[in-house]
Amino acid sequence: MSPLPGPFRTRVRAAGRRTGPRTPQEARDRALRLRLLSLLLQYPDAELAAARPALQATAAALDPSGDGPMTAFTAWFSGRGRQELERHYVETFDLRRKSSLYLTYYLHGDTRRRGTALLTLARRYRAAGWEAGSGELPDHLPVVLEFAALAGPGAGEAPLRQHRRGLQLIHRALTDTGSPYRHLLAALLDLLPPPTAADRAAVAELAAQGPPAEDVGLDPYGAYGAGEFAPPGALA
């Protein structure tokens, strides 16, 4: 399978070595799928918009049946103007608290534990010999996906498995609003172990109550109403 185009060399790292029982081709396809998800979940700037034909072709190559979720997303993505894409991205991920792409927020909220989780994630990347270099926090989903493609299904995908419930909540929020980005989250969740009954219950509780709050010296949800999310970073 052909690699993604050259202009993305600074934004996409090569896939990691094969791990587990998958064949080499299956491992390459899985890594390419994660790299494609990482790209498609980034802000649709001029570079990404210009590469839409290559991205759509890559999705089609990974989906011979033609009816997979990434194929559905790239069809929508390729048929929209850049300004519309930019506006939809900001409205979806920057202005809606329940579909933020910062994964540790769903697990820890804006608490001190979140800072520790971010530091732990950054150390995991450095231990693997990888620097994100994107200016984003280490828990930003495109960054986490890029690392998963690099390091493989074991250690590389561990952060995705750890934050599965947050990913489910994002998918739920995107589905509720009808955003085409729901297709990308569906494709990602398909790569992870299926949810347990405990996972489903936790996601329902998280959707109703929001992430954990700091009890000492803060009133994280007072300004946003009972049970409503405070946006990531709003309490820093």
Side-chain angles (χ1 to χ4, degrees):
M1 184 173 295
S2 300
L4 291 172
F8 291 103
R9 289 174 185 167
T10 60
R11 296 174 64 175
V12 184
R13 276 64 175 178
R17 66 178 184 275
R18 173 176 174 250
T19 59
R22 296 180 181 86
T23 67
Q25 184 61 53
E26 288 171 339
R28 286 193 293 270
D29 285 354
R30 187 178 182 88
L32 183 58
R33 194 178 301 273
L34 290 166
R35 294 168 66 199
L36 182 59
L37 286 169
S38 174
L39 279 171
L40 293 174
L41 282 163
Q42 293 179 34
Y43 180 77
D45 59 13
E47 184 182 13
L48 195 63
R52 282 181 289 180
L55 296 171
Q56 189 170 23
T58 302
L62 289 168
D63 175 30
S65 68
D67 60 358
M70 284 199 293
T71 301
F73 176 81
T74 53
W76 171 82
F77 191 66
S78 297
R80 297 297 184 277
R82 183 181 158 196
Q83 287 187 342
E84 181 182 350
L85 292 175
E86 291 174 344
R87 182 170 59 253
H88 182 79
Y89 188 94
V90 170
E91 290 175 351
T92 300
F93 297 119
D94 296 341
L95 301 181
R96 291 175 181 157
R97 296 181 288 275
K98 291 187 180 180
S99 53
S100 166
L101 294 179
Y102 294 95
L103 298 183
T104 60
Y105 176 64
Y106 299 101
L107 190 60
H108 301 295
D110 272 318
T111 67
R112 295 170 180 85
R113 292 188 300 276
R114 186 181 177 207
T116 301
L118 289 169
L119 180 60
T120 299
L121 195 53
R123 286 174 174 169
R124 178 190 288 271
Y125 296 161
R126 287 196 294 270
W130 185 73
E131 293 288 342
S134 65
E136 279 289 358
L137 290 174
D139 67 335
H140 194 235
L141 181 53
V143 176
V144 179
L145 286 165
E146 195 174 336
F147 176 71
L150 168 75
E157 293 183 24
L160 293 171
R161 293 190 295 271
Q162 178 187 9
H163 293 285
R164 193 195 201 291
R165 293 174 181 179
L167 294 169
Q168 283 183 256
L169 185 63
I170 298 170
H171 178 252
R172 176 173 173 164
L174 295 175
T175 300
D176 287 346
T177 61
S179 170
Y181 281 96
R182 70 187 185 277
H183 297 303
L184 299 184
L185 270 293
L188 173 55
L189 289 169
D190 283 345
L191 296 176
L192 301 179
T196 64
D199 288 333
R200 289 189 287 270
V203 170
E205 181 178 358
L206 186 59
Q209 299 183 9
E214 198 80 78
D215 293 328
V216 180
L218 294 174
D219 184 16
Y221 295 106
Y224 296 95
E228 187 179 358
F229 281 10
L235 308 172

